[in-house]
Every structure is written in structure tokens, then in C-alpha cells.
Amino acid sequence: MKAKTLILGVIATALPAFGMAGNELDMVVGTYTGAGSEGLYSFSFNQATGVARLRSTLEVKNPSYLAFARDGRHLYAVSENNDATAALNSIAFDPVTGNMSYMNSQLTYGKDPCYVDTDGKMALTANYSGGSLSVFPILQNGTLAKMTMQFAGYKGGPDRSRQATPHIHCVCFAPDGFVLATDFSADQILSFRYDKEKGTLSAYGIAAHVKRGSGPRHLVFAPDGRHAYLISELSGKITVFDYAKGDLRETQTILADDAHARGGADIHISPDGRFLYASTRLKEDGITLFRVESTGKLVRIGKCRTGSHPRNFVITPNGKYLLVACRDADRIQVFSRDKFTGQLHDTRQDIRLSRPVCIRFCPAS
């Protein structure tokens, strides 16, 4: 893996110091590398103006999903390979320069890892084609130890073309000491107890079932931790849950994908918890907008069209911008966001990049 620093003469402002108060954010983008991309790209993003500046790159194969450690100095990126080379990579990140350097990799022993989450002590991958969840301890220097545990997903959904084999699509740390994983082919969400001191997971049970054929994909928690929101890929619907102690209780299901294109993708909540957004692909690509009621339930308020194949997206910490990775359009679209209405407006400040699929902001120290 090879790092390279690039300097673009578009903006002449000084680079921000790590964790400084202000509007400059450290941002890393993961891509698919089959069409000429180098892998990981580091940017400085100004959350006051919506302007991005490229800082450096790192050659990594198919880093389609990544997560920063809470210290902001390490990130973990999957290599979404459909063979025995599928891996999780540990990357050192320098917030002063934006440089990234390869530290080590560990095999996931599950093909096509497509999601990673970390609490800084443990990293977890969801291996889509492998149909499994892999567990990796993180050593004191930020490198990864070998996989210590693995849990299998299930099948049983009615869609023979998409649910004939197990698929785990997302895994995330819940706010209260549990871990949840979307079991795509069995139309359910799995729950695990997390012992942080021992660094172990243990199967707790099924947190929730969703309607057969839904294909649960990504899950996100409300800022207060009392509600969780699931987007299902095949049904294109969002399921709203009350959450407590590893269990989910469904309170609402609402459609996000009007075109019924079976391309539900990502889901996020605004920093103030007032609005929820979901990306849908394959037909009428875009972001569907919802208002969050005091009960946690959703009211649909509109849809914003995007470039082709919107995958992951993020909202800036100040809530002013929403950035969408449009894979097949080879660009990241930058939308301004009205904090009062939740509506989006294309700023026409696209970040041109080959096959972008994941965007992450570095946490401040």
C-alpha cells in the first residue's frame, strides 16, 4: 500500500490543527478501485462554505467502508474483495497533514466485507457474501489483532435471487453495551452482548423481525439512543423502533423508495435529531426526507434527486451540509441543508472522484 500527498492550488488557506475550533473538518472517502481510483482519499472540508480540498491519498484495494477510531488518529477500512483476500485494514491518520499510512491488515474470513464499526477497542465487520460478522481486537498502537470470533448469519427470506444465502449487511455498537447486526437474508436484526473489558461478544438473540422479503440493510440510532431506524434494501421501507437493552420494538414502517427499485441504501439523522434522511438507488435515485416526531415516528416531507447510485452519505457536525457519494456518477454531491425545514439544495460544489462509496469525518480530539 502506497501513500501519496497531493496539493491542489484551489484554496490557499492554512491546514487546520487537529481538533481546532472552527469550520475545517478532516474527511476521508473510500472508493471502489476497479476503475482507476487509488483507494482512500483525504480532504479538508469547510463546513461553513461547503468547499473541499484534497490533501492526500492511500492505495488500498476496494476500501468501500471505513470507520474512524474515537481518537481520530486511526481508521479502519475494509477491502471488499470477493475472495480469500477480503480484509480489514488499520490506517494511521495524521490530522495535521491529512496523511494516511498503512499499519496492518487482518483477513475477515468472510467475502465482501461491506461495513465496519469500532469503539476503539474492538473492530467489527459485516461480511456480505460471507454471511458473517467478524470480531477484531485493537492493540494499543491501533493495529489489528487477528480475528478472534465470528458469527454466522441466516437465510430464509422469500427472494430466491437475493436471499438464498446468508448476508450480514451492517453491524453497529448500540448506545448501551449491545451490538446489533442486520441479517439481510433472514429479514431480522441480531443482537449481541458486548463485554468491553474482555473484548468479547456473545449471542443475545433476535432483536427484531421485519416483513419477509425486506432485506434489512443499514441501521442508525437517534441521538438520545431511545429509537432506532432501519432501511431495508429490497422493500425500500424504513422501520422505526423503540430501543432498549438489545431489543427493538417496531412502531412504524414508512416507504422511502417510491420507485420500488429494490435499492434502499443508507440512513442518517441530523445532529439535532429533528430530521431523518435515506438514500435510494437504481431508479429515481435520491435522498428521501422525513421529519422526526417527538414519539420517534416519521413524517415524510420530500425527496431530493441526486446523481447516479447514491450510496453512503454524511451530514456535517454543524448540520449545514449533507454530502452524498454517488458511485456511478463519479462524484460526491454537496447539498446545503435547511436546519428548520430539513430541505436540501444542491450547491453545485461537487467533489470529483472515481467510484466514491463511503464518506467519514474525523472526530475531534
Side-chain angles (χ1 to χ4, degrees):
M1 307 206 179
K2 182 180 179 182
K4 180 167 61 176
T5 301
L6 303 178
I7 301 176
L8 300 183
V10 178
I11 304 173
T13 55
L15 295 178
F18 178 58
M20 67 172 284
N23 291 312
E24 294 291 336
L25 302 174
D26 294 308
M27 182 176 82
V28 174
V29 178
T31 64
Y32 283 125
T33 53
S37 169
E38 294 191 43
L40 291 173
Y41 292 76
S42 167
F43 293 86
S44 175
F45 184 83
N46 189 299
Q47 65 173 340
T49 64
V51 174
R53 180 164 68 91
L54 183 62
R55 301 176 78 187
S56 69
T57 68
L58 181 68
E59 292 183 4
V60 181
K61 186 176 181 181
N62 291 331
S64 65
Y65 211 88
L66 61 103
F68 271 98
R70 293 176 183 175
D71 65 4
R73 296 185 178 274
H74 301 91
L75 62 92
Y76 301 91
V78 302
S79 282
E80 189 180 337
N81 303 331
N82 186 240
D83 55 28
T85 67
L88 181 62
N89 306 289
S90 172
I91 310 295
F93 181 76
D94 184 343
V96 175
T97 64
N99 288 346
M100 299 170 287
S101 56
Y102 170 76
M103 297 181 70
N104 79 325
S105 296
Q106 297 292 352
L107 298 177
T108 57
Y109 297 100
K111 297 178 181 179
D112 292 319
C114 62
Y115 199 103
V116 58
D117 197 10
T118 182
D119 68 343
K121 184 170 183 177
M122 177 187 289
L124 311 172
T125 63
N127 312 314
Y128 181 76
S129 297
S132 58
L133 183 166
S134 297
V135 179
F136 303 88
I138 297 175
L139 304 179
Q140 286 188 347
N141 65 356
T143 59
L144 295 162
K146 291 183 178 180
M147 185 189 78
T148 56
M149 308 180 74
Q150 191 171 65
F151 297 89
Y154 300 89
K155 60 181 181 178
D159 189 324
R160 294 185 180 181
S161 66
R162 299 293 304 279
Q163 296 179 306
T165 59
H167 298 303
I168 300 290
H169 216 311
C170 164
V171 57
C172 56
F173 290 91
D176 60 353
F178 286 83
V179 166
L180 300 183
T182 56
D183 197 6
F184 181 95
S185 296
D187 296 314
Q188 61 189 11
I189 300 173
L190 304 176
S191 180
F192 302 86
R193 290 188 183 273
Y194 174 38
D195 188 323
K196 189 170 185 177
E197 295 303 315
K198 295 180 180 179
T200 59
L201 293 186
S202 57
Y204 176 66
I206 298 172
H209 294 276
V210 293
K211 187 176 180 180
R212 282 171 52 79
S214 293
R217 182 178 168 100
H218 282 189
L219 183 75
V220 67
F221 288 93
D224 63 9
R226 296 189 300 112
H227 306 287
Y229 300 87
L230 169 75
I231 184 164
S232 290
E233 182 168 345
L234 303 181
S235 71
K237 294 180 179 180
I238 294 172
T239 308
V240 182
F241 299 99
D242 289 338
Y243 173 77
K245 298 180 179 179
D247 290 315
L248 295 165
R249 183 178 66 85
E250 182 178 334
T251 60
Q252 182 190 21
T253 299
I254 186 169
L255 185 65
D257 180 10
D258 291 329
H260 304 283
R262 298 159 60 81
D266 202 10
I267 186 168
H268 292 286
I269 299 177
S270 60
D272 61 10
R274 296 179 58 202
F275 298 96
L276 180 140
Y277 302 85
S279 59
T280 62
R281 310 160 293 166
L282 307 181
K283 292 180 183 178
E284 299 180 13
D285 295 358
I287 303 289
T288 309
L289 292 63
F290 300 89
R291 185 177 68 250
V292 181
E293 303 285 87
S294 60
T295 60
K297 293 183 179 181
L298 303 176
V299 175
R300 180 167 169 155
I301 58 173
K303 183 163 185 175
C304 177
R305 296 297 295 270
T306 67
S308 180
H309 207 95
R311 292 278 292 251
N312 170 244
F313 63 95
V314 292
I315 302 171
T316 55
N318 67 358
K320 186 174 181 179
Y321 292 99
L322 185 149
L323 286 69
V324 186
C326 299
R327 187 194 71 182
D328 294 353
D330 293 324
R331 59 177 167 155
I332 295 171
Q333 282 183 282
V334 180
F335 291 89
S336 61
R337 195 183 74 87
D338 189 306
K339 297 180 184 179
F340 299 101
T341 67
Q343 296 297 321
L344 303 176
H345 174 73
D346 190 353
T347 67
R348 308 294 179 185
Q349 298 182 115
D350 293 355
I351 304 168
R352 297 289 177 175
L353 198 61
S354 176
R355 310 280 281 180
V357 286
C358 184
I359 311 166
R360 284 288 178 267
F361 293 122
C362 177
S365 61

